[in-house]
Amino acid sequence: MYGLVNQAVEGLVKKVAGEEAWEEIKREAGVDEEFFSSNECYDDSVTYNLVVAATKVLNLSATEVLHAFGEYWVLETARHGYGDLMTANGNTFPEFLSNLPNFHARVSLIFPDLKPPKFKVSDLAEDTLNLHYYSHREGLQDFVVGLVSGLGKMFNCDTECELVKGRRDGHDHDVFKIRWTEQVLA
């Protein structure tokens, strides 16, 4: 994964637990990098080890860490790192999700070695859709749930995201049933 991902893990940890916790997580993960270069590729195991270490140091489940990281990715990293790409990807929550393939195609221009997941929307209705998630990386379903939650916050929507079919059950990809309600701003 690109260093931008590991920088985001660092940013989240420092935001919620401080510099000392980040240093402890790096030690626990066996990571001796002083800093991560956003445009450099790192082995996926570095990110996975950081997440596992965060569960131990922060006394949280992997689900909690990945949910928080997914939200942080959308609300902090992607908004600041991708800027105009985020705003150009859609004006509504379902439109943004439907345009994820185009978004990743544009991000791949910035990060040529990127191996992004693939997303596809089906069964789009007034307030529900199915989000199909294809990835060569294992165990990131909870991260996707966090991404959906972060996007909901970005678009002022309350969201529910339920895994209805998964690779853990022998399917070739994960399918999430997503429901949303737009918040009425006073």
Side-chain angles (χ1 to χ4, degrees), residues 151-177:
L151 286 170
K153 289 179 180 182
M154 189 172 107
F155 286 102
N156 296 314
C157 296
D158 293 321
T159 60
E160 294 175 32
C161 183
E162 174 190 5
L163 181 64
V164 293
K165 282 176 35 176
R167 290 168 56 182
R168 295 175 186 157
D169 303 319
H171 299 283
D172 69 336
H173 70 284
D174 298 302
V175 180
F176 298 90
K177 180 71 162 186

Side-chain angles (χ1 to χ4, degrees), residues 100-171:
L100 278 172
N102 297 331
F103 178 78
H104 281 124
R106 288 189 292 262
V107 171
S108 292
L109 297 173
I110 300 168
F111 297 102
D113 294 325
L114 184 69
K115 295 177 185 130
K118 292 181 178 36
F119 291 94
K120 182 180 115 186
V121 167
S122 70
D123 305 307
L124 179 59
E126 185 176 323
D127 61 357
T128 63
L129 59 80
N130 286 340
L131 182 66
H132 299 258
Y133 167 66
Y134 303 83
S135 179
H136 68 280
R137 294 182 173 100
E138 295 284 334
L140 296 177
Q141 296 86 350
D142 292 321
F143 177 69
V144 173
V145 173
L147 290 173
V148 169
S149 177
L151 286 170
K153 289 179 180 182
M154 189 172 107
F155 286 102
N156 296 314
C157 296
D158 293 321
T159 60
E160 294 175 32
C161 183
E162 174 190 5
L163 181 64
V164 293
K165 282 176 35 176
R167 290 168 56 182
R168 295 175 186 157
D169 303 319
H171 299 283

